[in-house]
Amino acid sequence: MPVKKLKEFLDSHQVKYVSLTHSPAFTSQEIAAAAHVSGKQLAKTVIVKVDGQLVMVVLPAHDQVNFDKLRDVMGAAGIDLASESEFKDKFAGCEVGAMPPFGNLYNMPVFLSSQLSHQGHILFNAGSHSELVQLTFDDFERLVKPKVVAL
């Protein structure tokens, strides 16, 4: 889903958002620096396998997935980081590592760190390594319906 499709989805739901273009950046720290935002404000999308099913985990960019805690929260037997080859075809038009946290558009459940739910807005990669989108957390939650969990 390229940036255009994400924006069309947001527009079709009358969601106000801000688009931030920056020089290409690949790590969370580089992206935050290029966009002049705190790493605490930036959300990253990590694809994991939970009992063989691909799911999105969305957390603050400065955090890492705590697999033990996630396993407990989800009541899963097996959980592991998905390899790029396992998920890249699900995100046509997106650059690998820049998937927006809209699992509902990819038929994928979304688990969101409760840390992000305490902010007034959410800022994330929009399908490329050079553009971010920011919208209110309330709009994100209404559209995506993530399961908010303590990670």
Side-chain angles (χ1 to χ4, degrees):
M1 181 178 78
V3 175
K4 181 181 175 203
K5 188 172 180 184
L6 174 62
K7 289 178 180 178
E8 288 172 353
F9 175 76
L10 296 174
D11 290 342
S12 74
H13 287 86
Q14 292 79 45
V15 170
K16 301 294 183 203
Y17 60 88
V18 175
S19 176
L20 301 168
T21 303
H22 57 84
S23 60
F26 299 91
T27 68
S28 299
Q29 290 174 327
E30 290 174 338
I31 294 165
H36 305 288
V37 298
S38 163
K40 292 177 182 177
Q41 295 175 300
L42 184 63
K44 69 179 174 184
T45 302
V46 178
I47 308 300
V48 299
K49 289 187 304 187
V50 178
D51 294 336
Q53 178 188 8
L54 293 175
V55 303
M56 282 186 174
V57 177
V58 183
L59 61 159
H62 67 281
D63 281 355
Q64 293 184 349
V65 176
N66 180 327
F67 288 98
D68 291 334
K69 197 175 234 184
L70 189 59
R71 183 181 302 106
D72 291 345
V73 165
M74 300 175 98
I79 189 164
D80 199 7
L81 188 63
S83 67
E84 288 180 4
S85 63
E86 291 175 299
F87 66 80
K88 68 179 180 178
D89 293 339
K90 286 194 72 84
F91 301 97
C94 288
E95 296 175 14
V96 175
M99 301 82 63
F102 281 74
N104 54 311
L105 300 179
Y106 303 103
N107 196 27
M108 191 177 290
V110 177
F111 292 84
L112 180 95
S113 169
S114 57
Q115 293 179 53
L116 292 171
S117 68
H118 302 300
Q119 299 185 38
H121 64 273
I122 186 166
L123 177 69
F124 52 86
N125 280 320
S128 80
H129 290 288
S130 58
E131 188 167 359
L132 300 171
V133 166
Q134 177 179 311
L135 57 137
T136 68
F137 182 80
D138 288 344
D139 282 335
F140 174 78
E141 189 172 40
R142 177 175 57 86
L143 295 174
V144 178
K145 297 176 179 41
K147 179 167 178 151
V148 179
V149 294
L151 297 175

